[in-house]
Amino acid sequence: MNPGSPRNSVPPKPSVFDFADYRAYLQHYYSWAKQHKRGFSHRAFLAKAEMSGPNYLKKVMEGVHSLTESSAQHFSKALDHNPEEQQFFLTLIHFCETKKLVDKDRYFEVLMHLKSPQSSWRLREKQYAYFKDWSYVAIRELLSCFSKMPDSDRMGKMLMPPISGKKIEQAIECLHQLDLIRKDSNGNWKLEKQHVSTGPEGDSFFVPLFHKKMAQLGTESITSFSKAERNISGIAMSISKQSYHDIVALIAQARKEIIDLSMAASHPERVYHLNLQLFPLTRTKALRKRKRK
């Protein structure tokens, strides 16, 4: 401890601007307040929020209850938010509670606009850009095809559809800040990791956003490229729950083998994206009703 520092200095309360999940924010605030605010409790918090029910805060933090617009404003009062913090908190709740990807995307953009300059959202902004814009993924893979970097305008014309050289430069800067690429001793960009995989699924909403865009590009490739350049096929089938899990395991193994094959390519010539999709065309309940007849 430094001689001039206070012995019992209280750490600052958690900032709502540092969170992408309002329940996690409430949990961190509760832990902080329990240690550093005299007389703090679930009941005391709700009294300050002018709400009843001693376990309501606990149930919200645990995901049993969700905050409405009205109850969120009461919580914001108890959290001592200023107007900017309150606006961010209310938007964060909408972001977390909405089920529609298009709405989640819209609320996330609002959150990025409202964030504090000192918040930890800078990395989330870069992650958002990487997964939302298909070209960032393609540009990163394209870098592995060159021993010497071409100019940005030329790189932009290689993509399908083509993009501007300025956007190429923005993407490279983002990839560098995400530690996905690095400069070698000759000043050329190289991949920091050989492959970036989303895995079978992802917790972040960035990943569904990415898959949605790539599925769209896959659809467009049917008319954009000849059969010799792309391979698209599908199987319609009736399966059991166990069969589903067995197929998922086979897909996981196939993904691993495909990654190994791509890593063995010493002189890559073109960037491809592989979509693996297994999804239902019926509801489970509908099938059960049909079998009982």
Side-chain angles (χ1 to χ4, degrees):
M1 179 181 292
N2 296 329
S5 63
R7 294 196 174 193
N8 296 314
S9 59
V10 177
K13 74 175 182 179
S15 170
V16 66
F17 295 115
D18 288 337
F19 292 85
D21 186 325
Y22 78 92
R23 298 185 198 278
Y25 164 63
L26 291 174
Q27 291 165 4
H28 279 77
Y29 176 85
Y30 178 83
S31 298
W32 172 86
K34 196 70 176 173
Q35 294 182 50
H36 305 293
K37 291 188 70 174
R38 181 174 297 178
F40 181 84
S41 65
H42 287 281
R43 191 182 296 273
F45 177 87
L46 290 171
K48 188 174 180 179
E50 299 179 349
M51 299 176 71
S52 59
N55 294 321
Y56 188 66
L57 171 61
K58 182 175 182 291
K59 290 182 178 180
V60 170
M61 290 192 296
E62 292 175 346
V64 178
H65 291 318
S66 297
L67 289 177
T68 63
E69 187 76 20
S70 175
S71 60
Q73 292 181 6
H74 284 284
F75 267 50
S76 186
K77 177 183 178 181
L79 291 161
D80 297 315
H81 285 161
N82 61 34
E84 291 76 19
E85 291 170 330
Q86 183 185 65
Q87 188 179 7
F88 188 92
F89 181 63
L90 297 180
T91 306
L92 183 59
I93 292 168
H94 286 302
F95 168 74
C96 293
E97 293 296 341
T98 186
K99 304 301 181 186
K100 294 183 178 179
L101 190 59
V102 61
D103 291 334
K104 198 173 281 288
D105 185 24
R106 176 167 55 87
Y107 284 127
F108 189 84
E109 290 189 345
V110 175
L111 289 170
M112 288 194 296
H113 177 72
L114 295 173
K115 73 183 187 309
S116 165
Q118 291 78 36
S119 75
S120 61
W121 270 63
R122 182 172 297 178
L123 178 60
R124 292 192 185 103
E125 283 187 86
K126 300 303 178 184
Q127 291 170 329
Y128 177 73
Y130 178 77
F131 281 111
K132 185 174 183 180
D133 193 328
W134 69 272
S135 67
Y136 282 41
V137 179
I139 291 164
R140 180 182 181 274
E141 293 301 322
L142 187 58
L143 292 174
S144 66
C145 296
F146 305 108
S147 57
K148 184 179 180 180
M149 270 282 293
D151 63 73
S152 55
D153 288 331
R154 183 186 165 202
M155 277 191 70
K157 292 176 182 178
M158 292 179 182
L159 297 178
M160 288 289 291
I163 63 173
S164 68
K166 183 178 179 180
K167 193 170 182 181
I168 290 283
E169 292 167 4
Q170 291 173 344
I172 288 177
E173 181 184 357
C174 175
L175 293 169
H176 179 50
Q177 292 180 4
L178 287 172
D179 294 326
L180 293 175
I181 59 175
R182 60 177 173 80
K183 273 191 174 181
D184 62 15
S185 57
N186 296 319
N188 292 316
W189 290 108
K190 299 297 180 183
L191 306 192
E192 187 65 34
K193 300 176 183 177
Q194 190 64 27
H195 286 277
V196 176
S197 172
T198 63
E201 199 60 72
D203 294 331
S204 169
F205 98 100
F206 301 145
V207 176
L209 201 65
F210 172 75
H211 287 317
K212 183 178 180 181
K213 181 59 183 179
M214 286 307 191
Q216 179 185 335
L217 289 175
T219 301
E220 293 172 359
S221 74
I222 296 173
T223 54
S224 300
F225 298 96
S226 68
K227 290 183 179 180
E229 296 176 291
R230 47 90 182 159
N231 184 292
I232 296 176
S233 61
I235 306 171
M237 53 191 169
S238 298
I239 57 175
S240 65
K241 187 175 181 179
Q242 182 57 50
S243 298
Y244 169 80
H245 291 297
D246 291 341
I247 293 170
V248 169
L250 283 172
I251 292 173
Q253 180 59 32
R255 287 179 67 253
K256 182 180 180 304
E257 293 181 15
I258 291 168
I259 290 172
D260 291 341
L261 279 173
S262 65
M263 291 181 68
S266 57
H267 300 290
E269 300 170 346
R270 196 172 187 180
V271 177
Y272 273 81
H273 182 80
L274 173 66
N275 283 333
L276 293 173
Q277 299 171 309
L278 176 65
F279 56 92
L281 296 175
T282 61
R283 297 181 184 276
T284 304
K285 291 182 180 179
L287 288 175
R288 288 174 179 171
K289 287 179 181 178
R290 185 179 177 184
K291 287 180 180 179
R292 284 200 296 265
K293 289 182 180 180

